[in-house]
Amino acid sequence: MHTAFFLLLGGALARFLLRHPGEARTPWIIALSVVLAALYVLGPALGAGLGTRPTPRRLTWLALVVAVWVVLVVLAPSFAWCAVPLFYTGLRTLPARAALVLIGVLTVFVVGAQLRLAGDFDPNLLLAPPAVAALATAVFVHMERQAERQRALIDDLVRTRRELAATERREGTLAERQRLSMEIHDTLAQSLSSQQMLLQAADRLWDADPERARAHVRTAESVTERGLVEARRFVHDLAPADLAGGGLDEALRTLAARESEAGLAVRFHAEGAPAPLPDRVESALLRIAQGALANVREHADATAAAITLTHLGDQVVLDVADNGRGFAPEPPREPGVRGHGLPAIRARTRQLGGTLTIESAPGEGTVLSVAIPLEAS
């Protein structure tokens, strides 16, 4: 519109100078054309045509532009078509009703100017300017509506993205809390539980069998030392302390030997060609084994257990079996239900995209099997 305005203004001035050279009004026409161009350029600097509220400064600017244009049209009708860009200027500057009134006034001057130039009455000159004004107004209104819809869509998109980001942050916080609770359960809580059981056993045997009581105390001391190492590692980076000195196979072998000290014979066996596993898989499988053995020690009343780690190339399988009293497996809880023991094992398995299988029956022991696909890790 700005380019069209200056083209129309320049074309009208050139037409007047070519057809009316040397007339007395020529200097006034040139001066008014320069003033109109300067005012039009000054508009954006004053903030005219921008925003949604008409200010006194914007209204004054628009009034000056229209007044200079009207004088030009009265002096030289060929300047009439500069009104088309002014239609858009009025629509952007004034409220809707005031803008329509201004467009009507401008259209009347355009019709009068065209009839003056023609000399004779021509219906086309009477109908064409209102048609152009109506078309220009319709185009502007349509563009404004489209722009408003686009702004609304962008606002909705920004709001939705913010809500989604907030939801993801909340879900991440809840997931991290659940993970931390499982880490604490599988390390510090299990260590404290073992200490409690050993100290209770020592207290019962202290008078009858001091040597066995002292052995329980020494074992409890060893468990306390390992728990302290786990606590320090937990504070440092939440990584299992047993994985710091080697791979998962070595960590499970150490776990089996350590659990055997508490009166439960645990053996470890590895099958398949060992392959490097992602850290999060190694950490999760070690925690699962710790949790499974904790359940065996506290609930199964078993005398023997076995940990088997099988590398199958595209997946790794961890089996924990015992010869305890067994139980009737309950249906899995709904995702998102927090808990410890088996619920924690299920949650860890689900986070890695794996599957958990529990085979057990009263009096027949238990086999817990976790399969983790390596592609999903």
Side-chain angles (χ1 to χ4, degrees), residues 14-230:
R15 181 178 185 277
F16 177 83
L17 294 176
L18 289 174
R19 296 197 176 189
H20 307 281
E23 293 188 4
R25 56 178 175 167
T26 300
W28 290 101
I29 297 297
I30 296 175
L32 288 172
S33 299
V34 173
V35 170
L36 182 58
L39 284 173
Y40 196 88
V41 171
L42 190 61
L46 296 175
L50 301 176
T52 57
R53 294 180 55 193
T55 62
R57 185 170 59 180
R58 293 166 59 189
L59 295 177
T60 301
W61 170 82
L62 180 62
L64 289 174
V65 171
V66 172
V68 173
W69 174 83
V70 167
V71 174
L72 268 175
V73 171
V74 171
L75 294 177
S78 57
F79 286 88
W81 286 110
C82 292
V84 176
L86 295 182
F87 291 164
Y88 288 94
T89 303
L91 287 168
R92 295 185 59 192
T93 306
L94 298 174
R97 293 183 179 179
L100 292 178
V101 172
L102 176 62
I103 291 173
V105 173
L106 296 178
T107 304
V108 170
F109 273 90
V110 172
V111 170
Q114 295 303 306
L115 291 177
R116 283 178 57 191
L117 287 174
D120 297 329
F121 176 77
D122 188 344
N124 287 332
L125 299 179
L126 183 64
L127 299 177
V132 171
L135 178 62
T137 303
V139 170
F140 179 86
V141 171
H142 176 72
M143 290 171 59
E144 284 294 299
R145 289 177 178 174
Q146 291 294 102
E148 185 62 30
R149 292 192 188 100
Q150 187 176 18
R151 284 192 292 268
L153 290 175
I154 292 174
D155 291 341
D156 289 342
L157 177 60
V158 172
R159 182 171 58 254
T160 301
R161 291 182 62 180
R162 289 175 179 171
E163 293 174 354
L164 179 60
T167 301
E168 290 177 347
R169 284 194 297 268
R170 288 194 298 269
E171 291 179 351
T173 300
L174 293 176
E176 183 65 11
R177 288 178 179 175
Q178 183 176 0
R179 187 178 71 86
L180 292 178
S181 70
M182 291 189 297
E183 292 284 347
I184 293 173
H185 172 267
D186 292 342
T187 56
L188 303 181
Q190 291 180 10
S191 177
L192 292 173
S193 176
S194 298
Q195 295 171 40
Q196 181 184 34
M197 293 174 60
L198 289 167
L199 292 176
Q200 288 174 348
D203 182 62
R204 289 193 300 268
L205 296 173
W206 195 262
D207 294 329
D209 193 346
E211 287 300 321
R212 289 185 61 190
R214 290 189 182 93
H216 285 316
V217 172
R218 287 192 295 271
T219 304
E221 181 183 6
S222 177
V223 172
T224 303
E225 182 180 358
R226 289 194 299 270
L228 182 60
V229 174
E230 281 283 2

Side-chain angles (χ1 to χ4, degrees), residues 28 48 114 214 245 303 327 351-352:
W28 290 101
Q114 295 303 306
R214 290 189 182 93
T303 60
F327 66 100
Q351 289 171 358
L352 294 175

Side-chain angles (χ1 to χ4, degrees), residues 260 263-267 293 296-297 300-307 320-325 365-366:
S260 296
L264 176 67
V266 182
R267 61 182 177 83
L293 288 180
V296 172
R297 184 176 60 249
D301 194 22
T303 60
I307 303 174
V320 180
D322 68 77
N323 64 349
R325 57 190 175 190
T366 302

Side-chain angles (χ1 to χ4, degrees), residues 175-176 179 182-183 237-240 243 248 276-289 316 318 347-354 370 372-377:
E176 183 65 11
R179 187 178 71 86
M182 291 189 297
E183 292 284 347
D237 59 2
L238 300 180
L243 289 174
L248 179 60
L277 300 175
D279 292 342
R280 61 194 298 260
V281 174
E282 289 189 339
S283 178
L285 289 177
L286 178 58
R287 295 303 189 209
I288 289 172
V316 59
L318 174 70
R348 291 183 187 277
T349 305
R350 185 170 57 249
Q351 289 171 358
L352 294 175
V370 174
I372 304 298
L374 298 182
E375 292 82 1
S377 303

